[in-house]
Amino acid sequence: MIRKYVYGNPYDTGAVVKTLPAETGTLPYFEVEQSDSGLCFSRSLSKDEVLFGLGEAVRGMNKRGYVYESWNSDVFDHTESQSSLYASLNLLLFCNGEQCFGLYLDDPGRVRWDLGYTVTDRACITSENGDLALYLCEGDSLRQITRELRALLGQSYLPPKWAFGYIQSRWGYASEKDIRAVAQNHRSRHIPLDGICMDIDYMQDYRDFTWNREAFPDLKGFADQLKQDHLHLVPIIDAGIKLDEKEPLYQEGLQRDLFCKKADGSVFVGAVWPGRACFPDFLNTRAREWFGSHYNTLLDEGIDGFWNDMNEPAIFYSDETLARGFEIADELRGENIGLDGSFKLKDAFGRMANHPDDYRRFYHDMDGRRVRHDRVHNLYGAMMTRSAAEAFRKRDANKRVLLFSRSAFAGAHRYGGMWQGDNFSWWSHIALCMHMLPALNMSGFLFTGCDLGGFGCNTTEDLLERFLQLGVFTPLMRNHSALGTREQEIYRFSTWESMRDTLTVRYALLPYLYSEYMKAVRDNDMLFRPLAMDYPGDERALHTEDQLMWGSECMIAPVTVQNAVGRYVYLPEDMLMIRFRSAKDHDLEPMTRGDHYISLRLNEFALFIKKGCVIPFGQGAENSEDAFSAPLTLLGWAEKGASYRLYTDDGTGYAPLPTEHDRILRKE
Ligand code: GLC
């Protein structure tokens, strides 16, 4: 059961889809106290209490023992010391064995989650705004609590079916020629592929909704041709609009008064890729409709997928921070710069980006309510996603368009997916991706994944292989890397054949993945779950951080350590292990409940199916369309026979089909 508690004058975030009456009694479980830093909800934590949630955040699945901040941030290094990443998902579950409950804080401002950091056995959640709605959910199990909270937040986004295929991306593909080469290198080696991303290089001077006409002389013809080959182009769209008198988008936004403005009424200017830029006021309905309508320019060219970026919003500098930087440099010119001076100089430029002063410098017109940006900061990216998604629906209420965003807030999961931002080519980032998957699912973000191979710094063959082995299971399966790093398309490596074989498993699992994804949408369930959700009362499961439940029937246990040739796995019940090398080459091993060491050479990875269950398995294909139409067999360890409910549809429409459309597949 969910109860709502209201404090101050909450902002209309659009995150929640149900209207609940506000409680008048006191909030159970917490002490509520106003302090200088905000409104604080605190409680003692019992010795073994486990905390799951917060969506996108560093460290482990159990969030206990650190301090996190809901503050959407453009951060490049996802190290353990980061308190915030790009999205703020204020959902947290408390579980101490017998007693579980969850909460969702509908507060788009800065929230500090001190979860046993200052005092080991105390959680203190502080809302800087103090204007919020707090939803408290009690229930019999973690799984039921998350289902209820998900129902509160509304149905998750439905991507087109091809978006579950493998997508290749890299910052640096600048022309039709570059993209053709990527397509050709995959197709000629029979490496499965469904999409290719276009990063900022396709644009004309980094202007949204434009493309370089020399590099892409006939975008529509090109997109259509690729589609004949089952390949979709996925261009990036950034939040900031180039400030240029000759730029039609800038002129339109200015004339129609749709940009974020400063206190004196002038337009706020901050720099991003195109240099000085203006920021559409996505928190305003008119501005959302306007920006969204511009996606038509690319949709008209045959584009059917987008990724929205830099929408925290990222600000490299503003006119004000830049002027201040130069002032400091001038003050220090000719000085003998020592300790203080050198830090001052470094910080003046090094800390210029995403400056807190800038986030306090501009305002939104939330359909009549004027609000300073920092109060509602975490909504900005979510509302950009909404802007695009509403425009897509308006254009064609049946056609699903691929959309994923970097920045997010609860509610945006109804409009699009999200990727996990600029990770690194680090082994620890395979584990980090894994840890975030259930936390993101909990808040409704089912369509997610990380940059496989790692975005920043140079990948290695074995790292990419292990990343892909996790990526086989994530709905968004995209290889992406930064400009200047080692090229990491599969075909660049000597072991490309084994990576291709790994992808064949993904394509054979597509019917199951899609079915489980759609059922999770329909039932407000999670695709990835901590083991604790399926095995309440199992102490080991409660504390397992390196394995996940996947779909209703399966468990995964990826290898995240370099040079490992196997790993320990905990089986909370009897399961069938499938050791995959490819869709066609795998061995099956029934295993009993308990601990096992399993050997997994670099080209091998494991999937575990609960005893008594079966899952559909297709055939490795080179594109998703073929994969979805391939004949299915059933994999599983079911001595007495078993059946699987297969969800299928034609991939159109914005709601999953009801259960009576499921096909029952039986294994005797
Ligand atoms: C941001 C994105 C990254 C993209 C880059 C250039 O860093 O997170 O994915 O490649 O911008 O557009």
Side-chain angles (χ1 to χ4, degrees):
M1 193 188 66
I2 301 190
R3 279 175 284 170
K4 174 182 178 183
Y5 296 84
V6 172
Y7 302 89
N9 184 11
Y11 297 99
D12 179 10
T13 66
V16 161
V17 294
K18 287 187 177 171
T19 313
L20 302 183
E23 297 288 326
T24 48
T26 50
L27 176 71
Y29 300 108
F30 293 93
E31 288 154 34
V32 187
E33 198 188 0
Q34 183 69 46
S35 75
D36 289 347
S37 41
L39 188 64
C40 175
F41 303 88
S42 64
R43 69 183 296 263
S44 323
L45 297 171
S46 66
K47 198 162 141 284
D48 289 324
E49 195 154 342
V50 170
L51 312 178
F52 290 125
L54 296 189
E56 196 183 49
V58 296
R59 302 196 172 218
M61 269 193 299
N62 181 354
K63 300 319 270 186
R64 189 167 176 172
Y66 197 56
V67 58
Y68 302 90
E69 258 188 352
S70 296
W71 187 258
N72 293 354
S73 303
D74 167 28
V75 279
F76 191 58
D77 56 333
H78 304 176
T79 50
E80 283 184 30
S81 51
Q82 285 293 358
S83 47
S84 317
L85 296 177
Y86 315 86
S88 295
L89 300 166
N90 296 337
L91 189 144
L92 193 67
L93 305 179
F94 294 76
C95 180
N96 72 359
E98 314 91 69
Q99 193 187 50
C100 303
F101 69 92
L103 61 80
Y104 169 64
L105 242 63
D106 199 13
D107 179 348
R110 194 186 289 271
V111 179
R112 188 170 191 269
W113 305 79
D114 182 337
L115 306 177
Y117 170 75
T118 306
V119 181
T120 311
D121 61 356
R122 207 152 174 86
C124 182
I125 304 162
T126 308
S127 154
E128 191 177 272
N129 283 340
D131 294 310
L132 70 146
L134 185 153
Y135 294 86
L136 186 90
C137 182
E138 292 174 291
D140 294 336
S141 67
L142 282 175
R143 195 136 176 212
Q144 188 216 328
I145 292 168
T146 50
R147 281 198 190 112
E148 271 195 63
L149 286 167
R150 285 277 304 288
L152 177 77
L153 299 173
Q155 183 204 286
S156 295
Y157 162 71
L158 300 188
K161 287 171 101 169
W162 63 264
F164 289 85
Y166 180 61
I167 300 177
Q168 177 57 51
S169 180
R170 178 167 170 89
W171 178 3
Y173 300 155
S175 64
E176 211 180 283
K177 190 164 151 263
D178 290 349
I179 292 173
R180 269 190 215 286
V182 174
Q184 204 264 335
N185 276 307
H186 282 80
R187 289 288 182 250
S188 64
R189 290 172 179 79
H190 307 290
I191 304 171
L193 188 70
D194 271 81
I196 303 178
C197 285
M198 297 160 80
D199 206 323
I200 46 174
D201 320 86
Y202 81 90
M203 295 182 192
Q204 184 65 50
D205 308 323
Y206 308 125
R207 294 164 199 255
D208 275 343
F209 310 114
T210 67
W211 59 96
N212 180 328
R213 304 270 168 167
E214 270 172 41
F216 297 92
D218 175 16
L219 184 58
K220 182 155 187 9
F222 183 47
D224 288 348
Q225 212 181 61
L226 287 179
K227 255 189 245 167
Q228 297 293 317
D229 195 13
H230 303 278
L231 293 171
H232 299 255
L233 289 172
V234 187
I236 196 169
I237 302 292
D238 286 319
I241 289 175
K242 186 171 174 66
L243 193 164
D244 175 353
E245 297 305 328
K246 291 196 218 86
E247 167 61 50
L249 222 58
Y250 167 69
Q251 286 299 347
E252 265 177 50
L254 207 59
Q255 275 153 21
R256 297 176 57 185
D257 196 15
L258 301 171
F259 290 130
C260 296
K261 289 192 292 194
K262 294 194 284 194
D264 65 4
S266 63
V267 169
F268 171 78
V269 179
V272 212
W273 307 121
R276 295 173 75 235
C278 301
F279 296 87
D281 187 356
F282 289 115
L283 278 63
N284 176 278
T285 305
R286 278 192 320 118
R288 272 200 304 279
E289 284 171 359
W290 165 70
F291 190 87
S293 70
H294 281 280
Y295 284 83
N296 282 324
T297 313
L298 286 160
L299 291 165
D300 288 345
E301 299 297 308
I303 299 295
D304 50 7
F306 297 90
W307 45 315
N308 283 349
D309 192 24
M310 307 301 271
N311 47 2
E312 293 71 31
I315 302 171
F316 296 166
Y317 60 83
S318 65
D319 289 352
E320 291 82 355
T321 50
L322 189 64
R324 181 73 193 123
F326 286 129
E327 245 172 61
I328 291 171
D330 280 341
E331 278 165 26
L332 292 168
R333 197 190 299 273
E335 297 280 316
N336 176 6
I337 302 173
L339 176 80
D340 291 346
S342 93
F343 274 109
K344 199 170 166 193
L345 190 60
K346 211 161 57 171
D347 287 354
F349 293 97
R351 296 192 178 212
M352 195 176 268
N354 310 316
H355 201 284
D357 286 350
D358 280 337
Y359 293 129
R360 281 192 289 267
R361 226 184 282 283
F362 63 95
Y363 291 77
H364 297 282
D365 169 8
M366 290 180 77
D367 298 339
R369 185 175 179 186
R370 186 166 173 274
V371 184
R372 203 175 69 190
H373 174 78
D374 60 319
R375 300 285 171 202
V376 287
H377 171 73
N378 296 331
L379 266 186
Y380 192 78
M383 290 298 165
M384 181 183 181
T385 306
R386 178 171 167 188
S387 155
E390 287 183 339
F392 301 156
R393 271 185 217 199
K394 198 164 155 193
R395 182 182 169 102
D396 187 339
N398 253 326
K399 187 174 160 99
R400 300 184 202 158
V401 177
L402 170 60
L403 177 64
F404 54 98
S405 166
R406 193 170 72 172
S407 175
F409 189 74
H413 68 284
R414 303 198 299 271
Y415 301 107
M418 59 182 279
W419 91 101
Q420 298 175 357
D422 299 346
N423 63 355
F424 270 31
S425 298
W426 289 348
W427 289 86
S428 59
H429 279 185
I430 304 181
L432 180 60
C433 170
M434 230 185 115
H435 292 158
M436 293 200 270
L437 290 167
L440 289 168
N441 278 199
M442 227 171 260
S443 289
F445 283 92
L446 297 177
F447 194 78
T448 182
C450 70
D451 287 351
L452 301 172
F455 175 75
C457 65
N458 296 329
T459 202
T460 56
E461 297 195 33
D462 53 349
L463 180 69
L464 177 59
E465 174 72 87
R466 294 300 195 193
F467 254 116
L468 290 169
Q469 292 171 356
L470 170 62
V472 161
F473 305 107
T474 60
L476 171 64
M477 187 188 193
R478 184 177 75 140
N479 176 338
H480 180 51
S481 55
L483 191 69
T485 60
R486 181 179 188 178
E487 288 169 314
Q488 66 183 40
E489 295 83 4
I490 288 177
Y491 54 80
R492 306 270 179 200
F493 299 99
S494 64
T495 49
W496 66 269
E497 281 168 309
S498 108
M499 298 191 209
R500 176 198 58 197
D501 290 351
T502 298
L503 290 196
T504 62
V505 179
R506 160 63 163 227
Y507 278 70
L509 284 170
L510 272 179
Y512 177 69
L513 171 61
Y514 185 71
S515 169
E516 288 301 300
Y517 183 98
M518 296 300 284
K519 288 198 273 185
V521 174
R522 187 168 66 191
D523 304 337
N524 292 315
D525 213 338
M526 293 158 65
L527 185 67
F528 291 100
R529 300 175 302 283
L531 270 54
M533 287 202 168
D534 288 46
Y535 303 95
D538 179 334
E539 266 297 292
R540 284 288 301 282
L542 186 64
H543 298 287
T544 299
E545 293 257 336
D546 57 352
Q547 302 171 206
L548 290 176
M549 302 312 295
W550 180 65
S552 299
E553 291 77 13
C554 304
M555 183 181 84
I556 59 167
V559 173
T560 62
V561 176
Q562 187 159 29
N563 299 318
V565 290
R567 55 161 291 169
Y568 284 96
V569 180
Y570 169 65
L571 266 56
E573 63 174 298
D574 294 354
M575 291 181 177
L576 175 74
M577 179 183 75
I578 311 180
R579 187 187 284 108
F580 281 117
R581 285 170 291 277
S582 76
K584 294 210 171 82
D585 180 14
H586 47 80
D587 38 63
L588 310 176
E589 197 175 320
M591 292 176 119
T592 52
R593 175 170 189 270
D595 292 290
H596 297 267
Y597 180 82
I598 51 167
S599 115
L600 294 168
R601 313 297 304 191
L602 183 57
N603 65 334
E604 297 177 324
F605 63 105
L607 175 69
F608 299 83
I609 305 177
K610 295 176 186 177
K611 185 178 178 184
C613 296
V614 287
I615 68 162
F617 192 67
Q619 285 168 11
E622 285 184 45
N623 63 71
S624 58
E625 202 176 316
D626 290 349
F628 281 113
S629 53
L632 300 175
T633 51
L634 290 171
L635 288 179
W637 173 18
E639 284 151 5
K640 297 189 195 117
S643 60
Y644 177 76
R645 286 190 88 97
L646 181 75
Y647 176 95
T648 50
D649 66 14
D650 61 3
T652 59
Y654 278 106
L657 299 174
T659 43
E660 53 268 27
H661 289 265
D662 293 351
R663 267 172 59 199
I664 311 290
L665 307 177
R666 275 184 219 291
K667 184 175 165 118
E668 302 307 332

